[in-house]
Amino acid sequence: MSLAFRDGVPELCGIACSLLNWSPNEFWQSTPSELAMALFRPETETDEAPSREVIMKMLERENDG
């Protein structure tokens, strides 16, 4: 017996609301990938804002792609 994603939705919504301070509406507007990225951030990530240099590199990469 395997569980479908929909079987875990109520629990996932509760987790997103309590751990991420998301509203239920924010949960329902997110994709499964966005939820996974929010819950499982790499340990190297910090809460510091990116530097101007990092932002400029991201803009260059976006404009090239």
Side-chain angles (χ1 to χ4, degrees):
M1 178 179 161
S2 67
L3 294 175
F5 176 78
R6 68 177 175 264
D7 297 330
V9 168
E11 185 176 354
L12 288 171
C13 185
I15 290 169
C17 292
S18 63
L19 293 179
L20 303 174
N21 293 321
W22 285 7
S23 68
N25 190 45
E26 288 173 307
F27 171 80
W28 288 110
Q29 289 182 355
S30 69
T31 65
S33 294
E34 291 169 332
L35 177 61
M37 287 188 300
L39 290 172
F40 303 106
R41 295 188 309 176
E43 290 185 23
T44 57
E45 188 174 318
T46 66
D47 290 333
E48 294 179 20
S51 68
R52 183 172 183 78
E53 179 182 350
V54 170
I55 292 172
M56 295 307 292
K57 286 180 182 179
M58 290 168 48
L59 288 171
E60 287 174 17
R61 189 173 49 226
E62 183 66 27
N63 288 334
D64 290 342

Short mmCIF file of all heavy atoms in Angstrom, two decimals:
data_model
loop_
_atom_site.label_atom_id
_atom_site.label_comp_id
_atom_site.label_asym_id
_atom_site.label_seq_id
_atom_site.Cartn_x
_atom_site.Cartn_y
_atom_site.Cartn_z
N MET A 1 0.84 -1.17 0.00
CA MET A 1 0.00 0.00 0.00
C MET A 1 0.88 1.24 0.00
O MET A 1 1.77 1.38 0.82
CB MET A 1 -0.87 -0.01 1.26
CG MET A 1 -1.74 1.19 1.40
SD MET A 1 -2.70 1.02 2.92
CE MET A 1 -3.16 2.68 3.15
N SER A 2 0.66 2.12 -0.95
CA SER A 2 1.43 3.36 -0.99
C SER A 2 0.50 4.55 -0.77
O SER A 2 -0.68 4.52 -1.12
CB SER A 2 2.15 3.50 -2.33
OG SER A 2 1.21 3.67 -3.36
N LEU A 3 1.05 5.57 -0.15
CA LEU A 3 0.27 6.77 0.12
C LEU A 3 0.45 7.76 -1.02
O LEU A 3 1.55 7.93 -1.54
CB LEU A 3 0.73 7.43 1.42
CG LEU A 3 0.46 6.63 2.70
CD1 LEU A 3 1.08 7.36 3.88
CD2 LEU A 3 -1.02 6.46 2.92
N ALA A 4 -0.62 8.41 -1.39
CA ALA A 4 -0.56 9.45 -2.41
C ALA A 4 -0.24 10.78 -1.73
O ALA A 4 -0.46 10.95 -0.53
CB ALA A 4 -1.90 9.55 -3.14
N PHE A 5 0.28 11.72 -2.50
CA PHE A 5 0.61 13.05 -1.97
C PHE A 5 -0.60 13.65 -1.26
O PHE A 5 -0.47 14.23 -0.19
CB PHE A 5 1.07 13.96 -3.11
CG PHE A 5 1.34 15.37 -2.66
CD1 PHE A 5 2.51 15.69 -2.00
CD2 PHE A 5 0.42 16.37 -2.91
CE1 PHE A 5 2.76 16.98 -1.58
CE2 PHE A 5 0.66 17.67 -2.49
CZ PHE A 5 1.84 17.97 -1.84
N ARG A 6 -1.78 13.47 -1.84
CA ARG A 6 -2.99 14.08 -1.27
C ARG A 6 -3.29 13.59 0.14
O ARG A 6 -3.90 14.27 0.93
CB ARG A 6 -4.18 13.83 -2.18
CG ARG A 6 -4.62 12.39 -2.25
CD ARG A 6 -5.86 12.21 -3.12
NE ARG A 6 -6.16 10.81 -3.24
CZ ARG A 6 -5.78 10.03 -4.25
NH1 ARG A 6 -5.09 10.55 -5.24
NH2 ARG A 6 -6.09 8.76 -4.26
N ASP A 7 -2.81 12.39 0.48
CA ASP A 7 -3.04 11.85 1.82
C ASP A 7 -2.29 12.63 2.89
O ASP A 7 -2.70 12.65 4.05
CB ASP A 7 -2.65 10.37 1.88
CG ASP A 7 -3.51 9.51 0.96
OD1 ASP A 7 -4.68 9.87 0.74
OD2 ASP A 7 -2.99 8.50 0.46
N GLY A 8 -1.19 13.27 2.51
CA GLY A 8 -0.38 14.00 3.48
C GLY A 8 -0.64 15.49 3.49
O GLY A 8 -0.03 16.22 4.27
N VAL A 9 -1.55 15.97 2.64
CA VAL A 9 -1.78 17.41 2.51
C VAL A 9 -2.18 18.08 3.82
O VAL A 9 -1.61 19.11 4.17
CB VAL A 9 -2.78 17.72 1.37
CG1 VAL A 9 -3.24 19.16 1.41
CG2 VAL A 9 -2.13 17.41 0.03
N PRO A 10 -3.13 17.55 4.58
CA PRO A 10 -3.48 18.25 5.84
C PRO A 10 -2.29 18.40 6.78
O PRO A 10 -2.09 19.47 7.36
CB PRO A 10 -4.57 17.36 6.45
CG PRO A 10 -5.17 16.63 5.29
CD PRO A 10 -4.01 16.40 4.35
N GLU A 11 -1.48 17.37 6.90
CA GLU A 11 -0.31 17.44 7.77
C GLU A 11 0.72 18.43 7.21
O GLU A 11 1.31 19.22 7.94
CB GLU A 11 0.32 16.06 7.93
CG GLU A 11 1.47 16.06 8.91
CD GLU A 11 2.03 14.66 9.15
OE1 GLU A 11 1.47 13.68 8.66
OE2 GLU A 11 3.05 14.59 9.85
N LEU A 12 0.95 18.40 5.90
CA LEU A 12 1.89 19.32 5.28
C LEU A 12 1.44 20.77 5.44
O LEU A 12 2.26 21.66 5.69
CB LEU A 12 2.07 19.00 3.79
CG LEU A 12 2.86 17.74 3.47
CD1 LEU A 12 2.77 17.42 1.99
CD2 LEU A 12 4.30 17.89 3.91
N CYS A 13 0.15 21.01 5.33
CA CYS A 13 -0.37 22.36 5.52
C CYS A 13 -0.10 22.83 6.95
O CYS A 13 0.33 23.96 7.18
CB CYS A 13 -1.87 22.41 5.21
SG CYS A 13 -2.56 24.08 5.29
N GLY A 14 -0.34 21.95 7.91
CA GLY A 14 -0.07 22.28 9.30
C GLY A 14 1.40 22.58 9.55
O GLY A 14 1.74 23.51 10.28
N ILE A 15 2.27 21.80 8.93
CA ILE A 15 3.71 22.01 9.08
C ILE A 15 4.11 23.35 8.48
O ILE A 15 4.86 24.12 9.10
CB ILE A 15 4.49 20.85 8.43
CG1 ILE A 15 4.30 19.57 9.24
CG2 ILE A 15 5.97 21.19 8.28
CD1 ILE A 15 4.81 18.32 8.54
N ALA A 16 3.61 23.64 7.29
CA ALA A 16 3.95 24.91 6.64
C ALA A 16 3.45 26.09 7.46
O ALA A 16 4.15 27.10 7.60
CB ALA A 16 3.37 24.96 5.23
N CYS A 17 2.27 25.97 8.03
CA CYS A 17 1.72 27.06 8.83
C CYS A 17 2.50 27.26 10.12
O CYS A 17 2.78 28.39 10.51
CB CYS A 17 0.24 26.81 9.13
SG CYS A 17 -0.82 26.91 7.67
N SER A 18 2.89 26.17 10.76
CA SER A 18 3.56 26.31 12.06
C SER A 18 5.06 26.59 11.93
O SER A 18 5.59 27.44 12.63
CB SER A 18 3.33 25.08 12.93
OG SER A 18 3.89 23.93 12.34
N LEU A 19 5.75 25.91 11.02
CA LEU A 19 7.20 26.08 10.91
C LEU A 19 7.60 27.26 10.03
O LEU A 19 8.61 27.91 10.28
CB LEU A 19 7.85 24.82 10.36
CG LEU A 19 7.83 23.59 11.25
CD1 LEU A 19 8.50 22.42 10.55
CD2 LEU A 19 8.52 23.87 12.57
N LEU A 20 6.82 27.52 8.99
CA LEU A 20 7.18 28.56 8.04
C LEU A 20 6.37 29.84 8.22
O LEU A 20 6.60 30.82 7.52
CB LEU A 20 6.99 28.04 6.60
CG LEU A 20 7.77 26.78 6.24
CD1 LEU A 20 7.37 26.29 4.85
CD2 LEU A 20 9.27 27.03 6.32
N ASN A 21 5.42 29.77 9.12
CA ASN A 21 4.50 30.90 9.34
C ASN A 21 3.72 31.26 8.07
O ASN A 21 3.41 32.43 7.83
CB ASN A 21 5.24 32.13 9.88
CG ASN A 21 5.77 31.88 11.26
OD1 ASN A 21 5.12 31.25 12.09
ND2 ASN A 21 6.96 32.37 11.53
N TRP A 22 3.44 30.25 7.25
CA TRP A 22 2.63 30.47 6.05
C TRP A 22 1.16 30.45 6.45
O TRP A 22 0.75 29.72 7.35
CB TRP A 22 2.84 29.35 5.03
CG TRP A 22 4.13 29.40 4.29
CD1 TRP A 22 5.19 30.23 4.50
CD2 TRP A 22 4.50 28.56 3.20
NE1 TRP A 22 6.20 29.95 3.63
CE2 TRP A 22 5.80 28.94 2.81
CE3 TRP A 22 3.86 27.53 2.53
CZ2 TRP A 22 6.48 28.31 1.76
CZ3 TRP A 22 4.54 26.90 1.50
CH2 TRP A 22 5.82 27.30 1.11
N SER A 23 0.37 31.22 5.74
CA SER A 23 -1.07 31.12 5.91
C SER A 23 -1.53 29.92 5.07
O SER A 23 -0.81 29.47 4.17
CB SER A 23 -1.75 32.39 5.40
OG SER A 23 -1.62 32.50 3.99
N PRO A 24 -2.73 29.40 5.34
CA PRO A 24 -3.22 28.31 4.49
C PRO A 24 -3.26 28.72 3.01
O PRO A 24 -2.95 27.91 2.13
CB PRO A 24 -4.63 28.04 5.03
CG PRO A 24 -4.52 28.40 6.48
CD PRO A 24 -3.61 29.62 6.49
N ASN A 25 -3.59 29.98 2.75
CA ASN A 25 -3.62 30.46 1.37
C ASN A 25 -2.23 30.39 0.73
O ASN A 25 -2.09 29.99 -0.43
CB ASN A 25 -4.17 31.89 1.31
CG ASN A 25 -4.46 32.32 -0.10
OD1 ASN A 25 -5.03 31.58 -0.89
ND2 ASN A 25 -4.06 33.53 -0.43
N GLU A 26 -1.19 30.76 1.48
CA GLU A 26 0.17 30.67 0.95
C GLU A 26 0.54 29.22 0.66
O GLU A 26 1.20 28.93 -0.34
CB GLU A 26 1.17 31.28 1.95
CG GLU A 26 1.09 32.78 2.05
CD GLU A 26 1.94 33.35 3.15
OE1 GLU A 26 1.81 32.89 4.30
OE2 GLU A 26 2.75 34.25 2.85
N PHE A 27 0.11 28.32 1.53
CA PHE A 27 0.36 26.90 1.29
C PHE A 27 -0.28 26.45 -0.02
O PHE A 27 0.36 25.81 -0.85
CB PHE A 27 -0.17 26.06 2.45
CG PHE A 27 -0.14 24.58 2.18
CD1 PHE A 27 1.03 23.87 2.32
CD2 PHE A 27 -1.28 23.90 1.78
CE1 PHE A 27 1.08 22.50 2.06
CE2 PHE A 27 -1.25 22.54 1.52
CZ PHE A 27 -0.05 21.84 1.66
N TRP A 28 -1.54 26.79 -0.21
CA TRP A 28 -2.27 26.34 -1.40
C TRP A 28 -1.77 26.99 -2.68
O TRP A 28 -1.93 26.43 -3.76
CB TRP A 28 -3.77 26.54 -1.23
CG TRP A 28 -4.33 25.55 -0.27
CD1 TRP A 28 -4.81 25.80 0.98
CD2 TRP A 28 -4.45 24.13 -0.45
NE1 TRP A 28 -5.21 24.64 1.59
CE2 TRP A 28 -5.00 23.60 0.73
CE3 TRP A 28 -4.13 23.27 -1.49
CZ2 TRP A 28 -5.25 22.23 0.89
CZ3 TRP A 28 -4.38 21.91 -1.33
CH2 TRP A 28 -4.93 21.41 -0.16
N GLN A 29 -1.15 28.16 -2.57
CA GLN A 29 -0.61 28.82 -3.75
C GLN A 29 0.80 28.35 -4.10
O GLN A 29 1.31 28.65 -5.17
CB GLN A 29 -0.61 30.34 -3.57
CG GLN A 29 -2.00 30.92 -3.61
CD GLN A 29 -2.00 32.43 -3.47
OE1 GLN A 29 -0.98 33.06 -3.26
NE2 GLN A 29 -3.17 33.02 -3.58
N SER A 30 1.43 27.60 -3.19
CA SER A 30 2.78 27.11 -3.45
C SER A 30 2.74 25.79 -4.21
O SER A 30 1.74 25.09 -4.21
CB SER A 30 3.54 26.93 -2.14
OG SER A 30 2.99 25.85 -1.41
N THR A 31 3.85 25.49 -4.85
CA THR A 31 3.98 24.20 -5.53
C THR A 31 4.66 23.22 -4.56
O THR A 31 5.30 23.65 -3.59
CB THR A 31 4.85 24.32 -6.79
OG1 THR A 31 6.19 24.69 -6.39
CG2 THR A 31 4.29 25.36 -7.76
N PRO A 32 4.56 21.93 -4.80
CA PRO A 32 5.28 20.97 -3.96
C PRO A 32 6.79 21.26 -3.92
O PRO A 32 7.43 21.12 -2.88
CB PRO A 32 4.98 19.62 -4.59
CG PRO A 32 3.62 19.81 -5.21
CD PRO A 32 3.65 21.23 -5.74
N SER A 33 7.35 21.71 -5.04
CA SER A 33 8.78 22.03 -5.07
C SER A 33 9.10 23.22 -4.17
O SER A 33 10.11 23.22 -3.47
CB SER A 33 9.23 22.34 -6.50
OG SER A 33 9.13 21.21 -7.30
N GLU A 34 8.26 24.24 -4.20
CA GLU A 34 8.48 25.40 -3.33
C GLU A 34 8.39 25.02 -1.87
O GLU A 34 9.19 25.49 -1.04
CB GLU A 34 7.46 26.51 -3.66
CG GLU A 34 7.68 27.15 -5.01
CD GLU A 34 6.53 28.03 -5.45
OE1 GLU A 34 5.37 27.79 -5.04
OE2 GLU A 34 6.80 28.99 -6.20
N LEU A 35 7.44 24.18 -1.53
CA LEU A 35 7.30 23.71 -0.16
C LEU A 35 8.55 22.94 0.26
O LEU A 35 9.10 23.16 1.34
CB LEU A 35 6.05 22.85 0.00
CG LEU A 35 5.83 22.25 1.38
CD1 LEU A 35 5.67 23.32 2.45
CD2 LEU A 35 4.62 21.33 1.36
N ALA A 36 9.01 22.05 -0.60
CA ALA A 36 10.21 21.26 -0.28
C ALA A 36 11.42 22.16 -0.09
O ALA A 36 12.20 21.97 0.85
CB ALA A 36 10.47 20.24 -1.38
N MET A 37 11.59 23.16 -0.97
CA MET A 37 12.73 24.07 -0.83
C MET A 37 12.65 24.87 0.46
O MET A 37 13.66 25.13 1.11
CB MET A 37 12.82 25.01 -2.03
CG MET A 37 13.30 24.32 -3.29
SD MET A 37 13.63 25.45 -4.66
CE MET A 37 12.05 26.20 -4.93
N ALA A 38 11.44 25.28 0.84
CA ALA A 38 11.28 26.06 2.07
C ALA A 38 11.55 25.21 3.31
O ALA A 38 12.12 25.69 4.28
CB ALA A 38 9.87 26.64 2.13
N LEU A 39 11.18 23.95 3.27
CA LEU A 39 11.36 23.08 4.43
C LEU A 39 12.75 22.49 4.53
O LEU A 39 13.24 22.23 5.63
CB LEU A 39 10.33 21.93 4.40
CG LEU A 39 8.89 22.33 4.66
CD1 LEU A 39 7.97 21.14 4.41
CD2 LEU A 39 8.72 22.85 6.08
N PHE A 40 13.39 22.27 3.42
CA PHE A 40 14.68 21.59 3.40
C PHE A 40 15.77 22.47 2.81
O PHE A 40 16.44 22.11 1.86
CB PHE A 40 14.58 20.28 2.61
CG PHE A 40 13.53 19.36 3.15
CD1 PHE A 40 12.34 19.19 2.47
CD2 PHE A 40 13.71 18.71 4.35
CE1 PHE A 40 11.35 18.35 2.98
CE2 PHE A 40 12.74 17.87 4.86
CZ PHE A 40 11.55 17.70 4.18
N ARG A 41 15.96 23.65 3.42
CA ARG A 41 17.01 24.56 2.96
C ARG A 41 18.37 23.93 3.20
O ARG A 41 18.58 23.28 4.22
CB ARG A 41 16.95 25.88 3.73
CG ARG A 41 15.71 26.67 3.49
CD ARG A 41 15.79 28.02 4.11
NE ARG A 41 16.19 27.95 5.52
CZ ARG A 41 16.40 29.00 6.27
NH1 ARG A 41 16.27 30.20 5.78
NH2 ARG A 41 16.75 28.87 7.54
N PRO A 42 19.30 24.17 2.29
CA PRO A 42 20.66 23.68 2.53
C PRO A 42 21.23 24.31 3.79
O PRO A 42 20.95 25.47 4.10
CB PRO A 42 21.44 24.15 1.29
CG PRO A 42 20.42 24.49 0.28
CD PRO A 42 19.17 24.84 1.02
N GLU A 43 22.03 23.56 4.52
CA GLU A 43 22.60 24.05 5.76
C GLU A 43 23.56 25.21 5.54
O GLU A 43 23.83 25.98 6.45
CB GLU A 43 23.29 22.93 6.51
CG GLU A 43 22.31 21.91 7.07
CD GLU A 43 23.00 20.85 7.90
OE1 GLU A 43 24.10 21.11 8.40
OE2 GLU A 43 22.42 19.77 8.03
N THR A 44 24.07 25.37 4.33
CA THR A 44 25.01 26.45 4.05
C THR A 44 24.29 27.78 3.87
O THR A 44 24.92 28.82 3.88
CB THR A 44 25.82 26.14 2.77
OG1 THR A 44 24.91 25.94 1.69
CG2 THR A 44 26.68 24.91 2.96
N GLU A 45 23.00 27.75 3.68
CA GLU A 45 22.23 28.98 3.49
C GLU A 45 22.16 29.75 4.81
O GLU A 45 22.04 29.17 5.88
CB GLU A 45 20.82 28.64 3.01
CG GLU A 45 20.02 29.85 2.59
CD GLU A 45 18.70 29.47 1.97
OE1 GLU A 45 18.68 28.52 1.18
OE2 GLU A 45 17.71 30.13 2.29
N THR A 46 22.23 31.06 4.71
CA THR A 46 22.14 31.89 5.90
C THR A 46 20.92 32.79 5.79
O THR A 46 20.31 32.91 4.73
CB THR A 46 23.39 32.76 6.07
OG1 THR A 46 23.43 33.70 5.00
CG2 THR A 46 24.66 31.93 6.09
N ASP A 47 20.60 33.44 6.88
CA ASP A 47 19.50 34.38 6.87
C ASP A 47 19.94 35.77 6.44
O ASP A 47 19.15 36.70 6.44
CB ASP A 47 18.85 34.45 8.26
CG ASP A 47 18.11 33.18 8.61
OD1 ASP A 47 17.65 32.50 7.67
OD2 ASP A 47 17.99 32.87 9.80
N GLU A 48 21.21 35.91 6.08
CA GLU A 48 21.73 37.20 5.64
C GLU A 48 21.26 37.49 4.23
O GLU A 48 21.11 36.59 3.41
CB GLU A 48 23.26 37.18 5.66
CG GLU A 48 23.85 37.06 7.05
CD GLU A 48 25.36 37.02 7.01
OE1 GLU A 48 25.95 37.46 6.01
OE2 GLU A 48 25.94 36.53 7.98
N ALA A 49 21.05 38.76 3.95
CA ALA A 49 20.67 39.17 2.60
C ALA A 49 21.86 38.95 1.67
O ALA A 49 23.01 39.08 2.09
CB ALA A 49 20.26 40.63 2.60
N PRO A 50 21.59 38.62 0.40
CA PRO A 50 22.71 38.45 -0.54
C PRO A 50 23.41 39.78 -0.76
O PRO A 50 22.79 40.84 -0.72
CB PRO A 50 22.03 37.94 -1.81
CG PRO A 50 20.61 38.29 -1.68
CD PRO A 50 20.30 38.38 -0.21
N SER A 51 24.69 39.70 -1.04
CA SER A 51 25.47 40.91 -1.30
C SER A 51 25.10 41.47 -2.67
O SER A 51 24.48 40.80 -3.51
CB SER A 51 26.96 40.59 -1.28
OG SER A 51 27.29 39.76 -2.38
N ARG A 52 25.48 42.71 -2.88
CA ARG A 52 25.22 43.35 -4.18
C ARG A 52 25.88 42.54 -5.30
O ARG A 52 25.31 42.37 -6.37
CB ARG A 52 25.74 44.78 -4.16
CG ARG A 52 25.45 45.54 -5.44
CD ARG A 52 25.81 47.02 -5.29
NE ARG A 52 25.48 47.77 -6.45
CZ ARG A 52 24.28 48.19 -6.79
NH1 ARG A 52 23.26 47.92 -6.02
NH2 ARG A 52 24.07 48.88 -7.89
N GLU A 53 27.09 42.04 -5.03
CA GLU A 53 27.81 41.24 -6.03
C GLU A 53 27.02 39.99 -6.40
O GLU A 53 26.89 39.65 -7.58
CB GLU A 53 29.18 40.86 -5.48
CG GLU A 53 30.00 40.02 -6.43
CD GLU A 53 31.34 39.62 -5.84
OE1 GLU A 53 31.72 40.13 -4.76
OE2 GLU A 53 31.99 38.77 -6.46
N VAL A 54 26.47 39.30 -5.43
CA VAL A 54 25.69 38.09 -5.68
C VAL A 54 24.44 38.44 -6.48
O VAL A 54 24.09 37.75 -7.44
CB VAL A 54 25.32 37.39 -4.35
CG1 VAL A 54 24.30 36.29 -4.57
CG2 VAL A 54 26.57 36.84 -3.68
N ILE A 55 23.78 39.53 -6.12
CA ILE A 55 22.58 39.95 -6.85
C ILE A 55 22.92 40.28 -8.29
O ILE A 55 22.20 39.89 -9.21
CB ILE A 55 21.91 41.15 -6.15
CG1 ILE A 55 21.35 40.70 -4.80
CG2 ILE A 55 20.83 41.76 -7.03
CD1 ILE A 55 20.84 41.84 -3.93
N MET A 56 24.03 40.97 -8.52
CA MET A 56 24.42 41.32 -9.89
C MET A 56 24.73 40.07 -10.71
O MET A 56 24.34 39.98 -11.88
CB MET A 56 25.64 42.26 -9.87
CG MET A 56 25.34 43.63 -9.24
SD MET A 56 23.91 44.49 -9.94
CE MET A 56 24.50 44.88 -11.56
N LYS A 57 25.38 39.08 -10.11
CA LYS A 57 25.66 37.83 -10.81
C LYS A 57 24.36 37.11 -11.17
O LYS A 57 24.23 36.54 -12.25
CB LYS A 57 26.56 36.92 -9.98
CG LYS A 57 27.99 37.38 -9.93
CD LYS A 57 28.84 36.44 -9.09
CE LYS A 57 30.27 36.92 -9.01
NZ LYS A 57 31.11 36.05 -8.19
N MET A 58 23.40 37.13 -10.23
CA MET A 58 22.12 36.49 -10.50
C MET A 58 21.39 37.19 -11.64
O MET A 58 20.81 36.54 -12.52
CB MET A 58 21.25 36.51 -9.23
CG MET A 58 21.76 35.58 -8.15
SD MET A 58 21.02 35.79 -6.52
CE MET A 58 19.29 35.82 -6.83
N LEU A 59 21.44 38.53 -11.67
CA LEU A 59 20.80 39.29 -12.74
C LEU A 59 21.46 39.01 -14.09
O LEU A 59 20.78 38.85 -15.10
CB LEU A 59 20.85 40.79 -12.44
CG LEU A 59 19.92 41.26 -11.32
CD1 LEU A 59 20.22 42.71 -10.97
CD2 LEU A 59 18.46 41.10 -11.74
N GLU A 60 22.80 38.94 -14.10
CA GLU A 60 23.51 38.63 -15.33
C GLU A 60 23.12 37.25 -15.84
O GLU A 60 22.87 37.06 -17.03
CB GLU A 60 25.02 38.68 -15.10
CG GLU A 60 25.57 40.07 -14.94
CD GLU A 60 27.05 40.06 -14.57
OE1 GLU A 60 27.72 39.02 -14.75
OE2 GLU A 60 27.53 41.11 -14.09
N ARG A 61 23.09 36.29 -14.94
CA ARG A 61 22.72 34.91 -15.32
C ARG A 61 21.29 34.86 -15.86
O ARG A 61 21.01 34.20 -16.86
CB ARG A 61 22.90 34.00 -14.11
CG ARG A 61 22.76 32.54 -14.42
CD ARG A 61 23.11 31.66 -13.25
NE ARG A 61 22.44 32.08 -12.05
CZ ARG A 61 23.04 32.20 -10.85
NH1 ARG A 61 24.30 31.92 -10.71
NH2 ARG A 61 22.35 32.58 -9.81
N GLU A 62 20.39 35.60 -15.22
CA GLU A 62 18.99 35.62 -15.67
C GLU A 62 18.85 36.28 -17.03
O GLU A 62 18.11 35.81 -17.87
CB GLU A 62 18.13 36.35 -14.63
CG GLU A 62 16.67 36.37 -14.94
CD GLU A 62 16.01 35.00 -14.90
OE1 GLU A 62 16.49 34.11 -14.19
OE2 GLU A 62 15.01 34.83 -15.62
N ASN A 63 19.58 37.36 -17.24
CA ASN A 63 19.51 38.06 -18.53
C ASN A 63 20.11 37.25 -19.65
O ASN A 63 19.70 37.38 -20.79
CB ASN A 63 20.20 39.43 -18.43
CG ASN A 63 19.41 40.41 -17.60
OD1 ASN A 63 18.19 40.30 -17.50
ND2 ASN A 63 20.08 41.37 -17.01
N ASP A 64 21.10 36.41 -19.35
CA ASP A 64 21.72 35.57 -20.37
C ASP A 64 20.86 34.38 -20.74
O ASP A 64 20.96 33.85 -21.83
CB ASP A 64 23.10 35.06 -19.89
CG ASP A 64 24.12 36.18 -19.82
OD1 ASP A 64 23.90 37.23 -20.45
OD2 ASP A 64 25.13 36.00 -19.12
N GLY A 65 20.04 33.93 -19.79
CA GLY A 65 19.27 32.71 -20.00
C GLY A 65 17.94 33.00 -20.58
O GLY A 65 17.19 32.28 -21.08
#
